[in-house]
């Protein structure tokens, strides 16, 4: 199994960032029903105003190849597009467990 962990730093006012993060979270949580390799999805929105990163997601897929399958799936591409105008930075770690 592989954990795919991604965190995003968004641009905009705190209210704009929160609105984008909520829409993104809703879209991501719908993905396990449409992407067969996606075993689970967890999404957190930062509650600590002293921190710089806004959203974190943890996805679980069976293999490293499935990370690519998930990333290229049209439903994931559509969800990711919700951040396009607000994504300031992205960091990712994929590891087998």
């Amino acid at each position: 199994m592989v954990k795919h962990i991604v965190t995003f730093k968004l641009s905009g006012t705190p209210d704009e960032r929160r609105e984008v993060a909520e829409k993104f979270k809703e879209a991501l949580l719908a993905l396990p029903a449409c992407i067969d390799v996606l075993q689970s999805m967890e999404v957190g929105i930062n509650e600590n105003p002293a921190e710089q990163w806004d959203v974190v997601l943890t996805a679980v897929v069976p293999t490293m190849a499935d990370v690519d399958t998930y990333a290229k799936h049209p439903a994931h591409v559509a969800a990711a597009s919700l951040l396009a105008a607000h994504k300031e930075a992205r960091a990712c770690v994929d590891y087998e467990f």
Side-chain angles (χ1 to χ4, degrees), residues 69-90:
T69 299
Y70 153 76
K72 291 179 179 175
H73 191 282
H76 174 263
V77 172
S81 74
L82 296 172
L83 292 185
H86 297 278
K87 184 171 60 175
E88 188 173 304
R90 175 187 179 274

Side-chain angles (χ1 to χ4, degrees), residues 11-58:
S11 62
T13 67
D15 287 342
E16 290 169 336
R17 291 176 14 230
R18 182 67 184 212
E19 181 180 345
V20 169
E22 291 286 353
K23 289 177 182 177
F24 185 53
K25 178 179 180 177
E26 183 179 329
L28 289 175
L29 292 177
L31 295 180
C34 0
I35 303 175
D36 62 347
V37 298
L38 190 53
Q39 303 291 307
S40 67
M41 173 66 72
E42 182 179 337
V43 183
I45 297 174
N46 185 27
E47 300 292 335
N48 184 348
E51 295 298 335
Q52 300 294 313
W53 294 84
D54 296 288
V55 181
V56 65
L57 72 88
T58 302

